[in-house]
Amino acid sequence: MDVERMLRNVDFLAGEEMAGRATGSPQSAALEDFLSERLEELGLVPVDMLGLSDFRQPFQVPADRCYLDRETRPDELVEACNILGMMRGETEDMVILTANYDGLGRDPESGQVYPGADYNASGVSAVLEAAAVLSSLEENPKKTLVFALLGGEECGGFGASALSEALEERGFRGRARIINLEGLGAGDGDYMDVWDLNYRPNRETVRALDDAAEAMGVTLELGGADPGTSAGTFFMYHIPAVTCDWSWFERSEHPDFHRLTDTPERMNRDGLLKATRVVTLAAWNLARS
């Protein structure tokens, strides 16, 4: 894995030109193009089992829920989308890696951009890196591997809901396992968290992550109740999903969560790399089983 490549993706997503990646903004639309092109470059294909003919899964979000730096009408809707690509397996059972790419836009008082480096450019960079590594292997998995970058999450979990509804409508609720990635470059911690919601169907995923962490020499800590991530939305649809993050020492508060200080310079590159390695190996082993 190439941590420098990962950090370049973090720099791009958290940069001034992305203006905080607010859902419905021109910057978000440009980012959707970038992410779609990247998945295509890696040789992934659209998830046609979910009725998609390209890498976009469109949905709408109320404009007043978004972090736009303009006036919105009460009944206004903006276009958003998830970006999905897959490595087709021998079966249509799915292992899905998810991370949200949207952000909080600009601070309304200061006009400063919320960079969102750790939340959640780190997760996006990890999904892209996992896709780059696994798509380069000369082996097809047994289960289909899906790489899903979610839009509209910071304004109310719309991307996770759209993906959940598509999985349910197409009969995949019992045939998909999700590993959600957030906050993979936090603080000065030295272990990886897995939040499993105390949900029995997540046990297979937790075992795969535990085995991968042991193989990589990474300490894994299991948490129960979800701390407010996309996995909580998937859980509402009874879709097995866990969230992985890198630890921070002050467990009650992430040092830069949803703050203007969440910049690439404060990323824990070692934690980002270790967590991405563990998640990628776990996803591959789940897909091969």
Side-chain angles (χ1 to χ4, degrees):
M1 289 196 156
D2 187 341
V3 72
E4 297 301 331
R5 177 168 58 194
M6 296 176 70
L7 290 171
R8 285 194 295 273
N9 283 326
V10 170
D11 285 341
F12 172 64
L13 267 70
E16 282 284 332
E17 64 273 18
M18 283 292 103
R21 310 188 304 273
T23 296
S25 67
Q27 293 81 10
S28 181
L31 183 54
E32 292 161 14
D33 290 339
F34 169 81
L35 295 173
S36 297
E37 291 166 7
R38 183 63 183 136
L39 296 187
E40 185 172 20
E41 289 168 0
L42 293 174
L44 303 184
V45 295
V47 187
D48 53 13
M49 298 96 78
L50 297 182
L52 303 179
S53 58
D54 60 27
F55 295 100
R56 287 174 165 81
Q57 182 199 13
F59 55 91
Q60 293 183 319
V61 178
D64 60 3
R65 296 286 297 273
C66 303
Y67 297 94
L68 299 169
D69 55 1
R70 62 173 177 82
E71 293 293 326
T72 60
R73 302 186 309 275
D75 60 346
E76 182 183 356
L77 298 173
V78 299
E79 300 298 321
C81 69
N82 295 329
I83 309 296
L84 293 84
M86 71 175 177
M87 292 174 59
R88 195 183 302 276
E90 298 172 13
T91 74
E92 292 188 345
D93 292 350
M94 298 180 190
V95 177
I96 309 174
L97 290 180
T98 64
N100 71 289
Y101 65 84
D102 61 311
L104 301 180
R106 295 182 181 273
D107 178 68
E109 295 181 1
S110 68
Q112 289 181 270
V113 166
Y114 281 100
D118 197 30
Y119 277 88
N120 190 30
S122 70
V124 174
S125 73
V127 171
L128 292 176
E129 191 65 17
V133 170
L134 296 181
S135 65
S136 71
L137 301 178
E138 296 182 0
E139 180 181 352
N140 290 328
K142 180 178 179 180
K143 298 183 179 73
T144 294
L145 268 169
V146 177
F147 304 89
L149 302 167
L150 307 179
E153 283 298 280
E154 297 289 1
C155 49
F158 290 95
S161 292
L163 178 55
S164 297
E165 289 168 7
L167 290 168
E168 187 169 63
E169 289 170 4
R170 296 279 173 161
F172 286 99
R173 187 174 65 183
R175 302 178 62 189
R177 292 186 176 278
I178 295 174
I179 303 177
N180 181 59
L181 309 179
E182 297 191 13
L184 298 185
D188 299 317
D190 59 357
Y191 56 90
M192 180 177 164
D193 289 312
V194 178
W195 305 91
D196 73 343
L197 299 97
N198 296 317
Y199 187 41
R200 186 184 306 168
N202 281 327
R203 289 177 182 173
E204 182 180 350
T205 304
V206 171
R207 284 194 294 268
L209 287 162
D210 195 34
D211 290 344
E214 183 176 0
M216 294 290 180
V218 173
T219 300
L220 201 69
E221 181 170 309
L222 182 63
D226 184 74
T229 73
S230 302
T233 301
F234 296 124
F235 173 76
M236 297 299 292
Y237 287 83
H238 298 277
I239 298 172
V242 305
T243 289
C244 297
D245 65 29
W246 192 249
S247 65
W248 58 92
F249 288 145
E250 294 295 333
R251 295 305 302 275
S252 62
E253 185 177 7
H254 182 285
D256 300 299
F257 178 67
H258 286 178
R259 296 180 181 178
L260 297 171
T261 54
D262 187 8
T263 61
E265 294 76 20
R266 291 174 61 81
M267 293 281 292
N268 181 337
R269 60 182 290 147
D270 188 49
L272 174 64
L273 180 59
K274 287 180 177 179
T276 305
R277 283 174 170 166
V278 170
V279 166
T280 303
L281 179 58
W284 181 245
N285 287 339
L286 281 169
R288 292 175 66 200
S289 64

